Amino acid sequence: SSGSPEASAGSSAAGDDFGLVKAGTLTVATEGTYRPFSFHDDGSGDLVGYDVEVAEAVADKLGLEIEFQETQWDAIFAGLDAGRFDVIANQVSINPEREEQYLFSAPYTVSSGVIVVNEGDTSISSFDDLAGKTTAQSLTSNWNELATESGANVEAVEGWAQAVALLQQGRVDATINDELTYLDFVNTNGPSGIEVAATTSDSSLSALAFTKDKTDLVAAIDTALDELRAEGVLAELGEKYFGADVSE
Amino acid sequence: MAEGWQLFLDSFWPLVLGGLTGTIPLALASFAIGLVLALGVALMRLSKNRVVSGIARFYISVIRGTPLLVQLFVIFYGMPSIGIVLDPWPSAIIAFSLNVGGYAAEVIRAAILSVPKGQWEAGYTIGMSHGTALRRIILPQAARVSVPPLSNTFISLVKDTSLASLILVTELFRVAEQIAAFSGEFMLIYLEAALIYWLFCLVLSAGQGRIEQRLDRYVAQ
Amino acid sequence: MAEGWQLFLDSFWPLVLGGLTGTIPLALASFAIGLVLALGVALMRLSKNRVVSGIARFYISVIRGTPLLVQLFVIFYGMPSIGIVLDPWPSAIIAFSLNVGGYAAEVIRAAILSVPKGQWEAGYTIGMSHGTALRRIILPQAARVSVPPLSNTFISLVKDTSLASLILVTELFRVAEQIAAFSGEFMLIYLEAALIYWLFCLVLSAGQGRIEQRLDRYVAQ
Amino acid sequence: MSHSDPAGERADVPGGDPLAPADIPDDSVLLTARGIRKSFGDNEVLRSIDLEVRRGEVVVLIGPSGSGKTTVLRSLNGLETPDAGTIDFEGGPSLDFAAPIAKATRFALRDRSAMVFQQHNLFPHMTVIENVIEGRVRVQRVPKKQAIAEASALLERVGLAEKRDAYPFELSGGQQQRVGIVRALALKPQLLLFDEPTSALDPELVGEVLQVIKELADEGWTMVVVTHELSFARQAADEVLFMDGGVVVERGAPAQIFTKPAEERTRRFLDRILRPLD
Amino acid sequence: MSHSDPAGERADVPGGDPLAPADIPDDSVLLTARGIRKSFGDNEVLRSIDLEVRRGEVVVLIGPSGSGKTTVLRSLNGLETPDAGTIDFEGGPSLDFAAPIAKATRFALRDRSAMVFQQHNLFPHMTVIENVIEGRVRVQRVPKKQAIAEASALLERVGLAEKRDAYPFELSGGQQQRVGIVRALALKPQLLLFDEPTSALDPELVGEVLQVIKELADEGWTMVVVTHELSFARQAADEVLFMDGGVVVERGAPAQIFTKPAEERTRRFLDRILRPLD
Ligand SMILES: Nc1ncnc2c1ncn2[C@@H]1O[C@H](COP(=O)(O)OP(=O)(O)OP(=O)(O)O)[C@@H](O)[C@H]1O
Ligand SMILES: Nc1ncnc2c1ncn2[C@@H]1O[C@H](COP(=O)(O)OP(=O)(O)OP(=O)(O)O)[C@@H](O)[C@H]1O
Ligand SMILES: [Mg+2]
Ligand SMILES: [Mg+2]
């Protein structure tokens, strides 16, 4: 649904230049099970979420159709390598290891990690306190590394929901995740007997991820992101999903 | 609990739909193709030619010796590296067919061996070739023997198709994951999914009964 | 490619170790317990008492009709809600044992039925009770028949244990996931894992052969 | 303690012929069956069978397939439970099938007799000697040493001494059937039941088995034999019963039955067997 | 076109007895087998067997179990491939087992003869009529209508007309065996091979089957019969061969073999069968 003429002009060019999986279409990989970034409206409805809408806005800017491919995180990078997607929009946070293998767009989410514990658990008030404690992390998230660095022994789980379950059942001491995830959870589920014990000092940056050969595409998308930021679109989306602008 | 119940009701139809549009067609297609494959492999396995039976043996051993998950990965994410890019559904059908081919081959082989040697000879003595005897005499009898084990293979397949979500096929379990991720009630949703899988299996078993009856018309009750 | 090869080598031992400390012990323990369970269920299933056989029937149908993944989840994440909190390993062993109990029960039942009725009567006529005849005459013969199908059950179990990673048990596949997540080389690592699963299965099949030989001493070759 | 098992003792008389029956053949009535009825579904297989067997007597049952011969034997051995009628063993047990039978009573019935099947039904996973001592050791709780001694003597006597450690599949049909007989003898029952013991054998092997059975008859064993070997019946039987359609059509001494049967049905049956081609 | 199948034509002579052989019994030599040898592993089962069968002749093979009788029949029917020797059918084919046999030749051999097994080996998933026409339609490519007409006539003739649509399991052993014979006849072979066609039957059912075989003999069919029914051999055989240990020990007219066998082994074997108890 690209309205403006210059956009559609761009698209005709785009189709051939970016070496897209499917000419004229931006093929985006996302989990579809990572609320509130990428999930299905009331479970079985349309694919929505902050990352999803950001990707849609970007495609719109480039005058490209957009097509989402939903898959587990395990498969997401394999799929990107296999040339099945053009880009991953799933809160991929930038870290050195990944930068060796992949290209990143300008970050569109800036947030900090939080340690979530059961209410009234005073034994943890900082990341240092995690030493020797047990945390539940989804292996593939970058929070996993943070927990490990903090000296916690990590129980790997499928995702946030399982992590919270373990925490509430008292089988782990804490779980580290994105502040935004936590807020969304509390907003929808109401008081769940868990609270934030500490927040990371340095915040993490999430961006769209590409294979190394997609330099042109990344350049184009960075411009698009800047425009969206300037037009306040990213801020709107932030408000919509988090009640705050999270794009910087 | 009330809203849990509500969620259960709201999710039921989407899950069933995921089953009817994803799980069942995927399972049926893969099973049909897999059976043809399996028959071929079983016959190769029974061949007197060492090389031929060796190939079948190896194929079966690899299929049965490696996790289905990996087989899916190789076909969907691995083959592109040798230039073969298939869409999710074809990839899934190929992977599951190959898998069924490996498991069902052993079932069919056992069924063929279970037909008394005298039946082959009765066929030969009325002038039949090996092929004709196989087609007209042995396979019809082997079919009866292999229905129960094959229906087990099929039921396992129905559940295994949940792995297809890994390669972008949306079926019952994928839908369950989506709802679970949204609501956080993964326990409830997974149980509901299990219930629906179970219902599917009950229907299938009933089908098995029907087939056995039809094939049983020529054996003493 | 070179560093891919390096990664392959570096990962090999950790993966094998994951198999030896996770996969194999888990599979062995669950299989042993599961077999005992299965024997009981099979006998219940064969009971003339409608209720008893009905219970067995239902148990088998549920175990076989629902995804193993869900069975694991129910025991690990679900049971706490009724106050039972088990550690990962106990949960996994219980879940897999119950699962084996369902599948192996049908195998054992078929094996018992495959022993000629005359063997029961020969037992009775020398004064044996039903129980003694079962223990001394029928089961030893049923054992022989059930080795091949049971070893299939076991091989499936070995691969299914990869699901234990979902409830915090560290085994071969979990190790693979960790390495893959860290290196991003999913394809390579999963293939390597598959290779190791396959090697395990080859060893197990060899074991099956040995057992069959021992049991075959009393049948004409 | 099992040493006090009387049957056991008696057989241990040194020098006693191992083939000799535990029961003394004194012509007194051992078994009386009256009005035995049995139906499978609505197929009435036995319609009031009466049978009396004296100690040391050899009763032969003949009759067409499906006439109920096997069912009679199975009823006597407690493998089948008749719908009506009574079975009385002198010295017990005494069963009336009008009422349900207690488990203990059925076991008592089984202990009185031992059955030899058409298909030998040896235990394929046990050696010959293991087959023979199984019931003695596991059921009658006789010490293994003693059971083995007895079994060896019996095997010796039927010419299978050197096969004692062979598995059934290693034996010829005739040898298997002889082991089957020894397995029955080993239990020292009062009554031996044979169900077509030779009809699954190659013709040239029939002799060796019939010989053994005849010897047992001569030794004074009480037995009921279902067979189509009329020559055996002629030589060994004290009484022959011809069954058809679940009733005893005719009974009498072999000489009478085979030479001048009273019943037309008997005559036709004998003809079909003795002169199949005319 | 299958209509030009000569065998087919001949049998269609209106009013011709369906049991009559396609081959004219003119006493000329039909089959000559020379020096047939066969070993399974190092078990030498046939050691140079010679056999000559004339048109219309009935040859009966007798001998103890394991002597090689079945293997001889199987060799003649091409179910077993001898290690050495020759088999010549008048009018072909002619096989020398010194060299490997071409597939076509083996099929030609099979077409000349048809075998009736000890266990009838009917196809359980086909009705009686389907069993009988299967070879005729699938192999000899005779039109189904014609095959059914012929088959019905044959079934009629052996008294199984009303069983044409029954499945094998619904028949008695004797009926099954008769269908087995009809299935062989339907192919209009030149030679019929019977391997103990009655030894799996209840004794009172033996007669009905032997009757049919005897009729075929009288009609002039050429046949080789393995049997232990000496009464049949006596009445129907032109020549009797006694086999033991893979060789033909003795051959001759039934009268001679049964009354004054030249060989000790023959005598002992006959005794065991005729007088099992002494
Ligand atoms: N367990 C059973 N269930 C149903 N019917 C049975 C059963 N056992 C025997 N019959 C039927 O009872 C009838 C008599 O069987 P039985 O075996 O006693 O006859 P028989 O005289 O021993 O025949 P044969 O000479 O063939 O052994 C047959 O019609 C048989 O089909
Ligand atoms: N396929 C085979 N493999 C190995 N040995 C065989 C095979 N077929 C037959 N034999 C052996 O060949 C010998 C002769 O067998 P065959 O069946 O011809 O004897 P037979 O005279 O028909 O005996 P019976 O009267 O028991 O049928 C036997 O010792 C048998 O064990
Ligand atoms: Mg009987
Ligand atoms: Mg034979």
Side-chain angles (χ1 to χ4, degrees), chain A residues 11 20-21 28 66 73 95 119 159 192 203-204 208 211 224 240:
Chain A
S11 76
L20 295 174
V21 171
V28 182
I66 189 161
W73 179 273
N95 68 34
E119 267 169 2
S192 313
S203 54
S204 82
L208 301 168
T211 45
K240 174 175 176 184

Side-chain angles (χ1 to χ4, degrees), chain B residues 127-164:
Chain B
M128 285 182 169
S129 65
H130 185 81
T132 315
L134 179 70
R135 212 176 61 259
R136 296 281 309 167
I137 310 302
I138 304 303
L139 288 186
Q141 298 181 55
R144 172 63 190 90
V145 186
S146 44
V147 169
L150 282 183
S151 67
N152 292 345
T153 314
F154 186 61
I155 286 178
S156 310
L157 175 63
V158 168
K159 292 178 295 166
D160 290 341
T161 51
S162 58
L163 289 173

Side-chain angles (χ1 to χ4, degrees), chain D residues 28-54:
Chain D
S28 64
V29 174
L30 170 65
L31 164 75
T32 319
R34 295 250 170 279
I36 301 295
R37 299 178 168 284
K38 178 69 178 175
S39 301
F40 294 106
D42 46 14
N43 171 10
E44 194 173 10
V45 172
L46 299 184
R47 331 180 164 205
S48 180
I49 298 287
D50 296 339
L51 183 66
E52 190 178 85
V53 184
R54 304 177 160 279

Side-chain angles (χ1 to χ4, degrees), chain B residues 64-100:
Chain B
R64 301 173 53 154
T66 61
L68 180 50
L69 167 66
V70 178
Q71 296 167 16
L72 280 161
F73 257 71
V74 173
I75 287 176
F76 190 71
Y77 295 112
M79 299 220 309
S81 63
I82 55 167
I84 306 171
V85 183
L86 297 166
D87 285 343
W89 269 83
S91 307
I93 290 179
I94 291 174
F96 288 116
S97 302
L98 288 171
N99 196 261
V100 170

Side-chain angles (χ1 to χ4, degrees), chain D residues 202, chain E residues 40 43 45 63-71 196 228:
Chain D
D202 289 311
Chain E
F40 294 105
N43 172 8
V45 172
S65 176
S67 56
K69 308 182 294 297
T70 296
T71 308
E196 305 192 23
H228 293 292

Side-chain angles (χ1 to χ4, degrees), chain C residues 117, chain D residues 39-41 43-46 63-72 74 80 118 195-196 226 228 243, chain E residues 202-204:
Chain C
K117 198 161 150 294
Chain D
S39 301
F40 294 106
N43 171 10
E44 194 173 10
V45 172
L46 299 184
S65 177
S67 56
K69 307 181 298 294
T70 296
T71 308
V72 169
R74 293 167 55 82
E80 212 74 73
Q118 175 168 5
D195 188 8
E196 304 192 24
V226 174
H228 292 292
M243 287 186 62
Chain E
D202 289 311
E204 75 271 19

Side-chain angles (χ1 to χ4, degrees), chain A residues 19-248:
Chain A
L20 295 174
V21 171
K22 194 162 157 205
T25 303
L26 188 65
T27 311
V28 182
T30 190
E31 277 185 290
T33 54
Y34 187 19
R35 178 172 177 160
F37 306 102
S38 163
F39 64 102
H40 284 258
D41 210 359
D42 10 305
S44 49
D46 300 337
L47 180 64
V48 295
Y50 179 73
D51 291 47
V52 170
E53 294 204 33
V54 169
E56 281 169 346
V58 166
D60 199 32
K61 273 275 175 230
L62 299 181
L64 294 169
E65 295 298 313
I66 189 161
E67 188 175 302
F68 287 99
Q69 301 273 29
E70 295 179 56
T71 182
Q72 270 90 333
W73 179 273
D74 306 31
I76 252 178
F77 284 99
L80 190 67
D81 297 337
R84 292 202 167 271
F85 329 119
D86 301 316
V87 53
I88 301 174
N90 202 79
Q91 286 294 301
V92 183
S93 55
I94 304 169
N95 68 34
E97 298 83 18
R98 290 196 184 129
E99 278 180 310
E100 280 178 21
Q101 289 185 38
Y102 303 99
L103 289 181
F104 285 92
S105 71
Y108 60 88
T109 316
V110 181
S111 70
S112 33
V114 291
I115 305 177
V116 180
V117 298
N118 284 314
E119 267 169 2
D121 180 349
T122 53
S123 66
I124 301 175
S125 55
S126 77
F127 279 80
D128 304 335
D129 297 340
L130 285 177
K133 301 279 188 190
T134 310
T135 70
Q137 303 300 144
S138 94
L139 258 187
T140 43
S141 80
N142 35 295
W143 307 116
N144 176 24
E145 288 145 51
L146 180 51
T148 322
E149 288 157 13
S150 318
N153 41 8
V154 173
E155 294 285 20
V157 296
E158 273 188 306
W160 167 252
Q162 283 80 359
V164 171
L166 286 179
L167 184 59
Q168 289 169 327
Q169 293 168 1
R171 296 162 129 176
V172 295
D173 306 312
T175 179
I176 306 179
N177 208 309
D178 196 305
E179 184 169 27
L180 301 173
T181 313
Y182 170 77
L183 291 174
D184 175 75
F185 178 79
V186 176
N187 291 341
T188 47
N189 297 53
S192 313
I194 57 175
E195 64 183 5
V196 171
T199 308
T200 47
S201 46
D202 52 353
S203 54
S204 82
L205 306 175
S206 302
L208 301 168
F210 311 78
T211 45
K212 287 278 188 189
D213 58 349
K214 289 282 197 302
T215 38
D216 297 358
L217 181 58
V218 176
I221 284 183
D222 280 342
T223 355
L225 279 171
D226 293 343
E227 289 176 36
L228 291 169
R229 190 173 277 111
E231 295 163 9
V233 175
L234 294 184
E236 276 171 43
L237 292 174
E239 287 294 337
K240 174 175 176 184
Y241 284 97
F242 314 104
D245 178 2
V246 299
S247 63
E248 47 206 338

